[in-house]
Amino acid sequence: MNPQLKSLIQLQKIDNEIVELERGKAAIPQQIESGKAGIKEKQAQLKKAQDTLTELQKKRKDLENDVIIENDHIAKTKTKLGLVKTNKEYSAILSEVDTVKEKILILEDQELELMEVLERKEKELPSLKSNCKEQEEIFNTYKLKKEAEAERTEKELEIIRPRRSQIGSSLDAKLLGQYNKLFKARDGLVVVLVHEDICQGCHQKILPQQVIDVKMGETVNSCEQCLRILYWEETNESAVPK
Ligand SMILES: [Zn+2]
C-alpha cells in the first residue's frame, strides 16, 4: 500500500480516538453538574421543612402573646368591678370577663393543636437531614470518580497527541493540509472505506476504474462527490455485510 495512504488511514484512526476522548472529557463538567440534582432536591425538602417549622413557631409565639393580651384584658376588666354601682353594670363586666375567658380557651386549644403539629414536623427533620447528607456523599463519590476520569482521559490525550503529530509529519504537507481541511468540512470523517463500489463517506457510487485503483492502493484516491480519501480493506467484504 502507498505509504502516504497508510499514514492517512492511521491519522484518521488516531483522530477518531482523539475526538472520542475529547468528547468524553468535555461532557464531564455537565455530568457533574447534573449529579447535583439529587442534592438540590433533598436540600429543597429540608429547607421547606425548616421554613414550615419557623412559620409554625412564629404562629405559636403570636398565640402566646394573644393569650397574654387577653389575660391582661381580664385583669383590667376586673379592676372595674370595684367601681360599679349597679347590678346591671356588675353582670355586664362579668359577662365581658367570661367572653374573654372563652376566647382564651379557644386560643389555648389552637396553641395545643399547633404544638402537636410542631412536634410532628420536628421529628421529620433528622431524617431529612440524613437524606441530605446521604445524597451529598453519593454526589461526592460520583464527582471524585468523574474527576479521576477527566484526569485519566487527559493523560491518554497527552500520550496520543504527539503520536498524531508524528503521523501528520510523515505526510506530504499538501496531503496533510487537504486532510485537515476536510476534517473540518466533513465532521471529522476524511478517510473512508469503499464497500463494493460505494464510498462509505457519502454513500455514492464510485466509477469502476476508481474502484480498481482504490483496491490496488498504490495511489491516494479521493471520492469525486465528497472528496474524502478512499481505501480498501480485504476483509471489507465480510466485515461490512450488506
Ligand atoms: Zn464520497
Side-chain angles (χ1 to χ4, degrees), residues 195-200 203 236-242:
H195 178 65
E196 288 168 356
D197 58 351
I198 304 290
C199 161
Q200 295 302 297
H203 302 283
N236 198 2
E237 295 296 328
S238 54
V240 191
K242 260 207 160 169

Side-chain angles (χ1 to χ4, degrees), residues 186 192 198-206 222-230:
R186 295 281 181 267
V192 295
I198 304 290
C199 161
Q200 295 302 297
C202 66
H203 302 283
Q204 301 290 314
K205 252 183 196 280
I206 291 157
S222 293
C223 170
E224 283 187 18
Q225 277 88 15
C226 69
L227 305 175
R228 289 187 177 94
I229 295 153
L230 303 169

Side-chain angles (χ1 to χ4, degrees), residues 2-229:
N2 180 309
Q4 293 287 294
L5 182 59
K6 211 171 167 181
S7 294
L8 282 164
I9 295 168
Q10 284 179 330
L11 195 62
Q12 177 72 69
K13 281 186 179 158
I14 210 158
D15 272 344
N16 289 349
E17 282 180 54
I18 289 174
V19 165
E20 200 178 316
L21 287 169
E22 281 174 345
R23 256 185 215 150
K25 197 181 160 226
I28 289 174
Q30 185 52 48
Q31 287 164 347
I32 291 178
E33 199 50 40
S34 311
K36 281 185 192 160
I39 298 184
K40 282 182 186 159
E41 192 198 326
K42 298 291 169 196
Q43 279 172 343
Q45 284 172 1
L46 177 62
K47 186 171 182 303
K48 201 178 158 201
Q50 282 167 333
D51 287 350
T52 308
L53 263 184
T54 310
E55 202 185 309
L56 289 172
Q57 277 156 351
K58 193 190 167 290
K59 271 189 191 162
R60 193 192 155 185
K61 195 89 199 146
D62 289 348
L63 282 172
E64 276 174 356
N65 282 334
D66 287 350
V67 171
I68 290 170
I69 289 166
E70 296 306 336
N71 275 320
D72 263 12
H73 188 178
I74 291 178
K76 274 179 195 150
T77 311
K78 278 182 177 169
T79 59
K80 290 188 219 158
L81 281 175
L83 308 167
V84 296
K85 298 199 169 62
T86 64
N87 276 341
K88 202 181 165 195
E89 279 175 329
Y90 192 81
S91 18
I93 289 173
L94 283 188
S95 129
E96 192 184 341
V97 169
D98 282 346
T99 309
V100 178
K101 274 184 181 166
E102 268 169 39
K103 211 171 163 187
I104 290 175
L105 279 180
I106 291 170
L107 286 172
E108 281 172 348
D109 275 353
Q110 285 175 347
E111 204 187 333
L112 268 179
E113 263 175 51
L114 203 62
M115 276 163 77
E116 273 172 32
V117 179
L118 254 173
E119 206 178 315
R120 210 166 58 234
K121 293 277 174 193
E122 267 165 359
K123 275 185 191 154
E124 286 172 7
L125 271 193
S127 79
L128 287 173
K129 277 181 187 164
S130 77
N131 281 350
C132 260
K133 203 157 176 265
E134 197 186 327
Q135 277 301 322
E136 272 165 21
E137 276 161 15
I138 290 171
F139 171 71
N140 287 338
T141 310
Y142 177 73
K143 188 166 170 254
L144 283 178
K145 201 184 108 197
K146 282 289 161 185
E147 280 166 355
E149 191 185 317
E151 212 171 299
R152 209 165 52 237
T153 309
E154 186 49 44
K155 276 192 187 133
E156 281 180 57
L157 281 166
E158 276 166 22
I159 294 168
I160 210 170
R161 281 189 189 119
R163 267 172 56 207
R164 201 261 177 212
S165 311
Q166 205 182 354
I167 296 169
S169 62
S170 74
L171 276 170
D172 282 347
K174 205 181 146 200
L175 261 182
L176 181 62
Q178 189 189 336
Y179 175 95
N180 288 336
K181 211 170 130 190
L182 275 171
F183 192 85
K184 282 191 189 128
R186 295 281 181 267
D187 203 21
L189 186 61
V190 184
V191 186
V192 295
L193 278 168
V194 171
H195 178 65
E196 288 168 356
D197 58 351
I198 304 290
C199 161
Q200 295 302 297
C202 66
H203 302 283
Q204 301 290 314
K205 252 183 196 280
I206 291 157
L207 293 174
Q209 182 53 52
Q210 200 179 21
V211 177
I212 294 167
D213 291 343
V214 173
K215 277 187 181 175
M216 304 261 287
E218 282 169 7
T219 50
V220 176
N221 280 271
S222 293
C223 170
E224 283 187 18
Q225 277 88 15
C226 69
L227 305 175
R228 289 187 177 94
I229 295 153

